[in-house]
C-alpha cells in the first residue's frame, strides 16, 4: 500500500534518507526539515493513507499511542516546556504533503511560535444549530 509518487512513502520506507528518531513495523518518526521549534518531528505510517479519513482505525489508535510515547521521550530529552500535536487534513486545513502525518512539536517558553486560531463568538443559538447539524 505505497504510492510511487509520494515522498513520505519513500522516506517512511527508507528509500530516501531522513533523520529518524523512531522506527517500527508500522511507522517511522523523522525530524521535520522545516521545524516550528527544535525537535519538531513527524509520525509517518509506512503505508500510504492520504489523510485521517483514509487512515484505518487500527493505525489511528497506534498513532496516538506512539505520539504519547514520543512526547514523553522528547520532553525528557529536550527539556521542552510544552508540546503540540498537530495533524492537518486537506489543503484548506494546511496539509501540504498528501500522506497522513502527525506533527510532534516540542514548545519552549521563548520559541515565539504561534500555533492557533482567532476565537469566534457564536451565540447559543448558533452553537445549537451547529450541534444539530453535526448530530442530526
Ligand atoms: P503539512 O503542512 O502537510 O501538515 O506538513 C508537512 C511537513 O512536512 C512540513 O512541516 C514540512 O516542513 C515537512 N516536510 C516536507 N517535505 C519534507 C521532507 O522531504 N523531509 C522532511 N523531513 N520533512 C518534510
Ligand atoms: Zn505516501
Amino acid at each position: 500500500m505505497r504510492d510511487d509518487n509520494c515522498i513520505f512513502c519513500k522516506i517512511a520506507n527508507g528509500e530516501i534518507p531522513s533523520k529518524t528518531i523512531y522506527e517500527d513495523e508500522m511507522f517511522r518518526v523523522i525530524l521535520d526539515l522545516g521545524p516550528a521549534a527544535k525537535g519538531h518531528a513527524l509520525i509517518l505510517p509506512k503505508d500510504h493513507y492520504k489523510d485521517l479519513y483514509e487512515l484505518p482505525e487500527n493505525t489511528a489508535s497506534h498513532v496516538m499511542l506512539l505520539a504519547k510515547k514520543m512526547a514523553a521521550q522528547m520532553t525528557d530529552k529536550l527539556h521542552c516546556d510544552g508540546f503540540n500535536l498537530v495533524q492537518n487534513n486537506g489543503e484548506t486545513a494546511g496539509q501540504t504533503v498528501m500522506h497522513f502525518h502527525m506533527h510532534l512539536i516540542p514548545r519552549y517558553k521563548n520559541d515565539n511560535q504561534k500555533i492557533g486560531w482567532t476565537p469566534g463568538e457564536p451565540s447559543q443559538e448558533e452553537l445549537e444549530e451547529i450541534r444539530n447539524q453535526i448530530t442530526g
Side-chain angles (χ1 to χ4, degrees), residues 11-120:
I11 292 173
N13 293 285
E15 286 168 46
I16 293 177
S18 63
K19 295 294 183 198
T20 297
I21 58 173
Y22 176 85
E23 185 182 4
D24 62 23
E25 279 191 1
M26 204 180 269
F27 302 105
R28 182 186 293 269
V29 184
I30 63 167
L31 293 182
D32 194 303
L33 283 184
K38 180 183 159 190
H40 181 168
L42 303 169
I43 298 178
L44 309 181
K46 290 188 173 179
D47 283 333
H48 182 85
Y49 306 108
K50 183 164 61 103
D51 53 26
L52 183 67
Y53 304 108
E54 285 195 356
L55 202 66
E57 286 188 359
N58 181 50
T59 311
S61 61
H62 280 89
V63 166
M64 189 49 81
L65 289 172
L66 181 54
K68 179 172 170 53
K69 187 169 145 182
M70 293 308 302
Q73 181 180 346
M74 292 163 75
T75 301
D76 181 40
K77 298 291 177 81
L78 295 170
H79 308 292
C80 55
D81 304 302
F83 212 94
N84 290 117
L85 295 183
V86 175
Q87 202 280 304
N88 302 323
N89 298 282
E91 277 179 38
T92 305
Q95 185 178 7
T96 58
V97 181
M98 299 300 153
H99 173 125
F100 175 95
H101 51 280
M102 172 81 82
H103 294 262
L104 306 170
I105 309 178
R107 300 300 303 277
Y108 306 88
K109 280 198 177 90
N110 299 314
D111 64 23
N112 280 322
Q113 281 291 354
K114 285 182 232 48
I115 298 171
W117 55 87
T118 307

Side-chain angles (χ1 to χ4, degrees), residues 3 6 8-9 48 99:
D3 178 336
C6 173
F8 278 8
C9 279
H48 182 85
H99 173 125

